[in-house]
């Protein structure tokens, strides 16, 4: 069993990302979308918490949402990969479950 | 509702602003100007071109006093003043010139 | 036209595209600029994200309104206060923000910076010093 978790809120505005990070299991993935992609930026107060979790699960950010918010490679947390809408669909299909952290 | 540009149909809203900004052309500007009963001169075109450049840069149509100030800066106070702008566009420079320039109605223009 | 000039502060605390608040605030500021009041804009919490450079919204199919902040100077909105701690918490510095300037007509159109970085304490003082505060 594996779950794809999506987070669409800024980690500085709600605790959705923090709560998600606290509830994932091995083999899960977290996809950051919409304002959730702010959780993928480096040097932020959230960076250490996100980095720590990446040893256990993969964290991916949606590229169109990164672009919209001006987060380029230089501002992306090391170890976070990006994907497009087609990749989003593939990931959703690949996991057994989908859980949205709203 | 639509303008007819040499047989091509260009949709507009109830106030005459075109719905798709990419539909604009110089020929369309002439058609809209005619509907507004304006004879386009070089000065009219200068204002229209300025508006299009402003929109391209800032993604908004400027309010009338912003337009007048900018024209004053770029073309001098003889053209860049309220009175002259209203002579060019009697129903309001921002409103009418924006319509001819193919832009949305200016923000703050009721 | 009213003779009384009031101090208006627009408080921006939301990221630009996840909700409509940022765009609504910007539109209200542009419309409100017609009333010749003493206007300041405050950017704190996720509101600082509104001013970041390099925004490109093509792929999400939403209008990119970040260039519009550069027009604020034309509307005589020249005081944009950005909270230092909010930037730092988000891994940002002033270099990550767009350069925003206004042209001083009385000083041969000299370009002057609009963004002022202030700390949390100064932000609190700024908020306390207003006649009207509008929150977004």
């Amino acid at each position: 069993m594996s779950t794809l978790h999506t987070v669409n809120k800024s980690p500085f505005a709600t605790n959705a990302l923090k709560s998600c990070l606290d509830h994932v299991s091995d083999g899960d993935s977290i996809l950051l979308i919409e304002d959730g992609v702010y959780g993928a930026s480096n040097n932020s107060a959230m960076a250490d918490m996100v980095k720590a979790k990446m040893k256990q699960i993969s964290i991916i950010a949606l590229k169109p949402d990164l672009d919209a918010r001006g987060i380029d490679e230089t501002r992306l947390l090391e170890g976070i990969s990006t994907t497009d809408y087609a990749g989003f669909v593939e990931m959703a299909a690949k996991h057994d479950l989908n859980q949205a952290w709203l | 509702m639509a303008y007819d540009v040499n047989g091509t149909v260009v949709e507009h809203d109830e106030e005459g602003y075109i719905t798709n900004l990419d539909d604009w052309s110089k020929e369309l500007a002439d058609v809209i100007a005619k509907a507004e009963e304006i004879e386009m001169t070089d000065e009219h075109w200068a204002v229209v071109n300025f508006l299009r450049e402003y929109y391209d840069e800032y993604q908004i149509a400027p309010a009338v006093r912003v337009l007048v100030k900018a024209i004053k800066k770029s073309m001098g106070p003889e053209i860049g003043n309220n009175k002259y702008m209203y002579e060019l566009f009697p129903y309001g420079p921002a409103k009418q010139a924006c319509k001819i320039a193919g832009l949305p109605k200016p923000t703050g223009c009721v | 036209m009213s003779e009384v000039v009031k101090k208006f502060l627009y408080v921006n605390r939301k990221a630009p595209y996840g909700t409509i608040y940022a765009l609504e605030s910007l539109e209200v500021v542009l419309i409100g600029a017609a009333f010749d009041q003493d206007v300041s804009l405050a950017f704190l919490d996720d509101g600082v994200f509104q001013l970041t450079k390099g925004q490109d919204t093509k792929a999400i199919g939403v209008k990119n309104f970040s260039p519009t902040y550069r027009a604020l100077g034309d509307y005589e909105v020249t005081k944009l206060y950005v909270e230092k701690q909010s930037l730092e918490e988000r891994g940002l510095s002033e270099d990550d923000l767009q350069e925003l300037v206004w042209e001083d007509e009385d000083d041969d159109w000299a370009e002057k910076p609009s963004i002022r970085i202030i700390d949390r304490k100064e932000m609190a003082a700024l908020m306390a010093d207003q006649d009207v505060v509008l929150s977004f």
Side-chain angles (χ1 to χ4, degrees):
Chain A
M1 283 290 279
S2 73
T3 300
L4 173 65
H5 302 266
T6 58
V7 177
N8 76 336
K9 297 291 190 299
S10 161
F12 312 105
T14 78
N15 68 349
L17 177 58
K18 183 184 179 299
S19 194
C20 173
L21 290 169
D22 288 342
H23 292 88
V24 289
S25 306
D26 290 346
D28 286 358
S29 303
I30 298 177
L31 177 64
L32 304 173
I33 60 172
E34 300 167 23
D35 281 350
V37 299
Y38 287 121
S41 52
N42 57 16
N43 302 323
S44 84
M46 283 299 291
D48 285 345
M49 200 189 293
V50 174
K51 233 187 289 182
K53 214 44 152 185
M54 280 195 287
K55 295 179 188 126
Q56 188 194 343
I57 57 151
S58 59
I59 301 182
I60 302 103
L62 195 65
K63 185 82 167 39
D65 285 320
L66 288 168
D67 290 345
R69 291 157 184 81
I71 305 170
D72 60 14
E73 309 83 69
T74 64
R75 289 198 41 221
L76 197 62
L77 192 61
E78 202 187 328
I80 290 190
S81 53
T82 66
T83 191
D84 56 12
Y85 291 115
F88 185 171
V89 174
E90 258 173 56
M91 285 175 65
K94 208 178 71 187
H95 292 77
D96 305 295
L97 271 177
N98 235 317
Q99 182 170 351
W101 296 79
L102 302 175
Chain B
M1 284 173 284
Y3 296 109
D4 182 341
V5 187
N6 304 324
T8 309
V9 170
V10 178
E11 300 285 331
H12 64 75
D13 68 11
E14 66 226 0
E15 292 178 273
Y17 294 86
I18 60 171
T19 17
N20 181 2
L21 307 191
D22 296 331
D23 285 342
W24 191 85
S25 63
K26 288 204 177 281
E27 293 72 33
L28 172 64
D30 280 323
V31 172
I32 303 174
K34 206 166 179 189
E36 295 283 320
E37 295 176 348
I38 284 175
E39 184 87 36
M40 292 294 282
T41 63
D42 287 350
E43 285 76 24
H44 289 95
W45 277 113
V47 173
V48 165
N49 289 334
F50 169 82
L51 286 174
R52 290 191 60 80
E53 282 162 23
Y54 196 94
Y55 190 85
D56 194 47
E57 187 166 353
Y58 299 117
Q59 300 298 304
I60 48 165
V64 58
R65 68 188 194 294
V66 173
L67 167 71
V68 170
K69 198 165 83 172
I71 295 281
K72 179 179 162 193
K73 190 194 164 196
S74 63
M75 304 174 72
E78 304 78 37
I79 295 178
N81 66 71
N82 264 312
K83 188 169 170 287
Y84 192 80
M85 285 294 132
Y86 275 92
E87 279 168 25
L88 290 177
F89 302 99
Y91 289 97
K95 222 170 185 170
Q96 221 169 11
C98 282
K99 198 183 286 184
I100 295 167
L103 306 185
K105 202 167 155 179
T107 305
C109 194
V110 187
Chain C
M1 183 87 66
S2 163
E3 297 291 317
V4 184
V5 174
K6 286 188 174 174
K7 298 179 85 160
F8 274 71
L9 180 70
Y10 294 85
V11 177
N12 298 284
R13 295 185 48 251
K14 298 285 196 289
Y17 303 108
T19 66
I20 197 70
Y21 287 98
L23 178 58
E24 289 286 318
S25 171
L26 185 55
E27 292 198 336
V28 174
V29 169
L30 291 171
I31 293 166
F35 297 104
D36 289 326
Q37 302 292 315
D38 180 6
V39 173
S40 300
L41 272 52
F43 296 86
L44 64 153
D45 299 337
D46 275 0
V48 300
F49 286 133
Q50 295 175 27
L51 301 178
T52 55
K53 45 170 108 150
Q55 297 177 26
D56 176 1
T57 60
K58 273 198 289 296
I60 62 167
V62 169
K63 177 170 165 158
N64 178 4
F65 55 88
S66 68
T68 307
Y69 293 96
R70 295 202 293 268
L72 286 171
D74 294 342
Y75 286 75
E76 281 151 31
V77 175
T78 62
K79 294 182 284 189
L80 278 66
Y81 295 94
V82 180
E83 189 181 88
K84 188 163 170 281
Q85 283 87 345
S86 296
L87 287 173
E88 286 168 356
E89 283 161 12
R90 288 158 185 78
L92 299 172
S93 69
E94 189 172 4
D95 291 343
D96 294 306
L97 306 182
Q98 294 196 76
E99 201 184 328
L100 301 179
V101 296
W102 61 285
E103 295 178 330
D104 192 344
E105 194 178 348
D106 301 325
D107 189 7
D108 196 24
W109 307 96
E111 285 192 352
K112 303 186 173 176
S114 300
I115 290 183
R116 303 149 197 223
I117 310 287
I118 61 174
D119 66 25
R120 197 157 273 163
K121 222 173 154 180
E122 292 171 304
M123 185 61 86
L126 178 74
M127 289 170 166
D129 186 39
Q130 303 296 323
D131 296 307
V132 182
V133 176
L134 294 155
S135 294
F136 292 89

